[in-house]
Amino acid sequence: MKGYLGEFEELVLLTIASLLDNAYGVSIKTYIDERTSRSISIGALHSTITRLEEKGYLSSHLGEPTQERGGRSKRLYEVTQTGKLALHQMKNLRDDLWVAAAQNLSLTK
């Protein structure tokens, strides 16, 4: 793994993977806001996206210009193979920890 994957970074990567070809700043923010019932700042999102690109977990490209954006293009993001590997490693770690802690986390105690 190219470094620690934080909770918010994991959330952003999973969101981008969920949005497929529609993963750009505003759609990512909206998806996270709706799913987590909390409002994130666009600045926090962009700094996280930049960090994920630097780690090699995301790639981006400019989409086609649209009239709704005054002829400007959206920057679209996608999870790289390295990012997918990092997500799978985090999921496996979480699954292992849940199994190890299951008895102590029982809600019936």
Side-chain angles (χ1 to χ4, degrees):
M1 203 182 290
K2 289 190 174 189
Y4 177 75
L5 185 62
E7 174 194 5
F8 189 61
E9 291 175 327
E10 184 178 4
L11 187 61
V12 170
L13 284 173
L14 289 169
T15 297
I16 290 169
S18 299
L19 290 171
L20 301 171
D21 295 334
N22 197 36
Y24 64 97
V26 173
S27 69
I28 297 166
K29 180 187 178 330
T30 301
Y31 192 90
I32 292 173
D33 287 350
E34 290 172 356
R35 294 288 175 142
T36 64
S37 299
R38 66 182 196 201
S39 181
I40 62 166
S41 75
I42 198 74
L45 176 62
H46 281 294
S47 48
T48 300
I49 285 172
T50 299
R51 195 168 50 254
L52 289 169
E53 282 188 295
E54 289 170 355
K55 289 181 177 182
Y57 296 161
L58 283 181
S59 63
S60 66
H61 66 277
L62 288 177
E64 295 296 319
T66 61
Q67 287 184 349
E68 66 190 10
R69 295 177 44 87
R72 294 179 322 184
S73 301
K74 294 176 185 173
R75 178 155 298 278
L76 301 167
Y77 299 94
E78 64 181 300
V79 180
T80 64
Q81 282 301 116
T82 304
K84 292 174 187 178
L85 178 61
L87 284 169
H88 279 274
Q89 288 173 336
M90 282 303 294
K91 182 183 182 316
N92 291 339
L93 174 60
R94 288 180 191 274
D95 289 347
D96 290 347
L97 290 169
W98 272 98
V99 168
Q103 183 177 347
N104 290 328
L105 293 174
S106 174
L107 296 176
T108 59
K109 284 186 175 181

